Every structure is written in structure tokens, then in C-alpha cells.
């Protein structure tokens, strides 16, 4: 992209924020696509103090739309009195377009122009315009993209000094944490409040009573919608704690997790038909050496609402921390401990 085009994008982004021109000025626009995620919206309710919530000044660049998880997160942002940035990053193979994100609970909707991830010049120009319009401290990002994009996206956010919440799993996690050191972000394999609490409890149990289940053998089955490309990040985190309890060094996270991505197999595992397009069913089993004792841990989720709302809470938590703390990497356990999960 040449400098003239970059400057034009900067000015149009700024003008759209200020209400001087409509968002259509960001570029050629097809008829807005009404896009709704498979979230179970009945589980959600509006915050009673939304009108007085200072987070109403926060704009969120939700990257990964029109994917269902990213779109569910965008809906949750609207529901929790956050604003959507008018530009967001989509996959490199997704054509540039404008979609309409609508939250059926609050009735709020916003048009968002999607820019392919490989058009970095346009993304950077749009970021500059958005920061000028609303203030750098009021612009944050959410990442629900693809496991193959995790590391590149994180480096892009750091290079642009863009605080972010990342729920995308996969990628090189060690490299990820290295690359984002000293940057404001929340990174977690699971954003659901109750599941995060369970993870924290298991981690505490493993630290207090290591090898309490010594000799027990671990087996794990996890089922997700067929579009999920990688092994569950939540399963990996939970297994790490269970392995401490069982002292099971033979179980391999990379090879011993049974992944279900077939719809028929998922239904046989207990997934209801209406949940096939969005679910997370996990069963962890510990069996004694002689087979006479068995313990099971299950967490089964249909839909995406619980993750989407936790992600929006993560944004609000991070915005608050940016006012008082030095840049650092947080987890959803930090958000839970802060009491910031609504």
C-alpha cells in the first residue's frame, strides 16, 4: 500500500469515529452481512450498572470474525457496554467485507469492516486512525483467529503496542509467552468463569497434594465442533495438574488425548445435536492400578456464551490494570482472583 492510501485510511478511520462520515467510507462495502454466533443467548443478561460503566469508552478490535467464536465475543462486548472498533482483522484468505454484529440480548449492533491479516499496511493505518480518535488507552483487541496465526498475531500486537486478550489456542506457547513479555495482555486457553475456577482449584490441589493418586492411570477424551483445528488447550492445562496428582509420567499430552471431531462420534459421547456446531465436552478418568477404583472429572459446555462473556470481562480487567500497573501478561485466573468475572 502506498503512503497516499495509508494516509487516506487513517483519515477515514478518524472521521468515522468522530461521526463526520459513515463507516462506509472505509472502502468498498457490500450489503452488510447479518452474522450471529451459535451462542446460547438465554444464559446471558445485561449488566444493571451498564449505563454508569466507565468501560463504555473502550473500543475493542475483535479479530477473527466472521468466525463464530470471535463473533460471539463481539456480541458479548456489546452486551457488556463495550464498543466495537469499526475495523478488525480477519483471516488472510477471507475477502475484505463489512459485517453487522448484532447482540440479541441488548439489541445493540455495529458494522465492522474486516481486513485480511496479510494487509498489514491497511491494518496499521486503521489502528493509527482509531487511536487518534479515541485515545491509545481506550483501544484493545480480542484474538479468536486460528492456531497457525497465534504467534504472528501476538508479535503484531506487540509491535503496534496494542493490548489484547487472546483465547486462541495452539501455536508455540513458549515462544508466545516470550514474545509478549512486558506487554499488556490476557492469555488463557479457556475464558469460562466456572472452568477457570475448576482449573485453579486443580492446580492448588496438585501443588498441595502431589502424587496423591500415584499409580493411577489417566485417560482423556475431548470433543469439539469439527471446525476446531487443534487439541483443546483447556484439556492440556487440566491434564498438567492431574499429572502432578497421579505422578503419571507416561501420559503424553501430544499423543494420548482422544480427540473427537466427528459429529456421529460426538453424539455418541453425549453431545446434543443442537450443540454439534459449538461445544466442548471433556472427560478425564483416573483408574487405580488394579482397576477397582475410578475417579472422573467432566466439564461439558454447549454453545460459546460462557467463553465470550469471560473474554469481554478480560478486556474490562485489562483496561483497568492499564491505569495502575506496569505492562505484564495476565491469565484468566488473575481475572478470577480480581473478582472481575461477572
Amino acid at each position: 500500500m502506498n503512503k497516499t492510501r495509508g494516509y487516506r485510511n487513517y483519515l477515514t478511520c478518524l472521521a468515522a469515529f468522530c461521526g463526520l462520515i459513515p463507516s462506509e467510507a472505509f472502502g468498498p462495502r457490500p450489503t452488510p452481512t447479518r452474522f450471529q454466533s451459535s451462542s446460547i443467548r438465554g444464559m446471558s443478561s445485561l449488566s444493571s450498572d451498564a449505563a454508569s460503566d466507565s468501560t463504555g469508552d473502550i473500543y475493542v478490535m475483535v479479530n477473527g470474525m466472521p468466525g463464530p467464536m470471535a463473533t460471539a465475543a463481539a456480541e458479548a462486548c456489546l452486551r457488556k457496554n463495550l464498543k466495537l472498533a469499526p475495523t478488525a482483522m480477519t483471516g488472510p484468505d477471507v475477502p475484505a467485507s463489512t459485517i453487522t454484529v448484532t447482540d440479541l440480548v441488548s439489541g445493540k449492533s455495529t458494522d465492522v469492516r474486516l481486513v485480511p491479516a496479510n494487509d498489514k499496511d491497511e491494518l496499521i493505518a486503521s489502528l493509527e486512525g482509531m487511536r487518534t480518535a479515541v485515545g491509545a488507552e481506550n483501544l484493545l483487541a480480542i484474538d479468536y483467529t486460528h492456531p497457525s496465526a497465534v504467534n504472528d498475531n501476538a508479535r503484531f500486537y506487540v509491535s503496534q503496542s496494542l493490548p489484547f486478550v487472546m483465547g486462541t489456542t495452539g501455536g508455540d506457547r513458549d515462544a508466545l509467552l516470550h514474545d509478549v513479555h512486558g506487554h499488556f495482555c490476557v492469555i488463557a486457553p479457556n475464558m469460562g468463569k466456572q472452568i477457570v475456577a475448576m482449573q485453579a482449584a486443580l492446580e492448588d490441589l496438585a501443588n498441595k497434594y502431589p502424587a496423591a493418586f500415584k499409580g493411577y492411570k489417566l485417560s482423556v477424551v475431548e470433543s469439539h465442533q469439527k471446525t476446531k483445528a487443534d487439541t483443546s488447550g483447556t484439556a492440556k492445562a487440566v491434564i498438567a495438574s492431574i499429572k502432578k496428582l497421579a505422578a503419571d509420567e507416561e501420559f503424553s499430552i501430544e499423543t494420548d488425548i482422544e480427540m473427537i471431531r466427528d459429529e456421529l462420534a460426538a453424539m455418541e459421547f453425549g453431545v446434543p445435536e443442537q450443540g454439534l456446531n459449538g461445544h466442548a465436552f471433556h472427560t478425564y478418568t483416573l483408574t487405580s492400578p488394579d482397576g477397582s477404583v475410578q475417579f472422573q472429572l467432566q466439564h461439558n459446555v454447549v454453545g460459546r456464551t460462557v467463553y465470550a462473556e469471560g473474554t469481554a470481562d478480560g478486556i474490562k480487567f485489562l483496561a483497568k490494570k492499564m491505569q495502575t500497573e506496569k505492562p505484564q501478561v495476565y491469565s484468566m485466573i488473575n481475572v478470577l482472583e480480581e473478582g472481575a468475572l461477572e
Side-chain angles (χ1 to χ4, degrees), residues 188 190-201 332-333 336 341:
N190 195 296
M191 299 290 175
K193 176 179 180 179
Q194 291 77 15
I195 297 174
V196 171
M198 181 200 71
Q199 287 179 264
M332 284 301 287
I333 291 178
L336 182 66
L341 287 171

Side-chain angles (χ1 to χ4, degrees), residues 69-143:
M69 189 61 243
T71 305
E75 293 172 2
C77 287
L78 293 176
R79 194 156 56 245
K80 288 178 174 284
N81 203 38
L82 300 164
K83 295 183 176 69
L84 298 184
T87 302
M89 179 168 62
T90 189
D93 299 325
V94 179
S97 63
T98 298
I99 66 170
T100 299
V101 179
T102 301
D103 172 51
L104 298 184
V105 177
S106 65
K108 297 177 182 178
S109 65
T110 300
D111 287 356
V112 180
R113 181 170 178 257
L114 304 181
V115 177
N118 51 5
D119 196 347
K120 288 295 191 292
D121 289 339
E122 188 165 354
L123 287 167
I124 291 170
S126 295
L127 282 171
E128 291 175 353
M130 289 188 282
R131 286 197 182 99
T132 300
V134 304
E137 71 282 1
N138 291 324
L139 181 63
L140 296 86
I142 286 173
D143 189 286

Side-chain angles (χ1 to χ4, degrees), residues 158-224:
V158 172
S159 72
Q160 298 303 308
S161 300
L162 180 63
F164 66 93
V165 173
M166 178 175 280
T168 314
T169 57
D172 186 331
R173 307 306 280 191
D174 290 336
L176 171 64
L177 293 178
H178 175 270
D179 291 339
V180 301
H181 179 74
H183 186 77
F184 274 119
C185 57
V186 176
I187 297 176
N190 195 296
M191 299 290 175
K193 176 179 180 179
Q194 291 77 15
I195 297 174
V196 171
M198 181 200 71
Q199 287 179 264
L202 269 177
E203 187 175 323
D204 185 58
L205 189 65
N207 290 331
K208 286 183 177 179
Y209 309 108
F213 289 80
K214 186 175 182 179
Y216 280 62
K217 293 300 178 183
L218 174 64
S219 63
V220 180
V221 183
E222 59 96 336
S223 175
H224 288 76

Side-chain angles (χ1 to χ4, degrees), residues 19 37 40 93 101 163 222 233 250 253 335 338:
S37 80
I40 302 178
D93 299 325
V101 179
E222 59 96 336
E250 295 182 5
I253 289 179
V335 181
E338 188 85 0

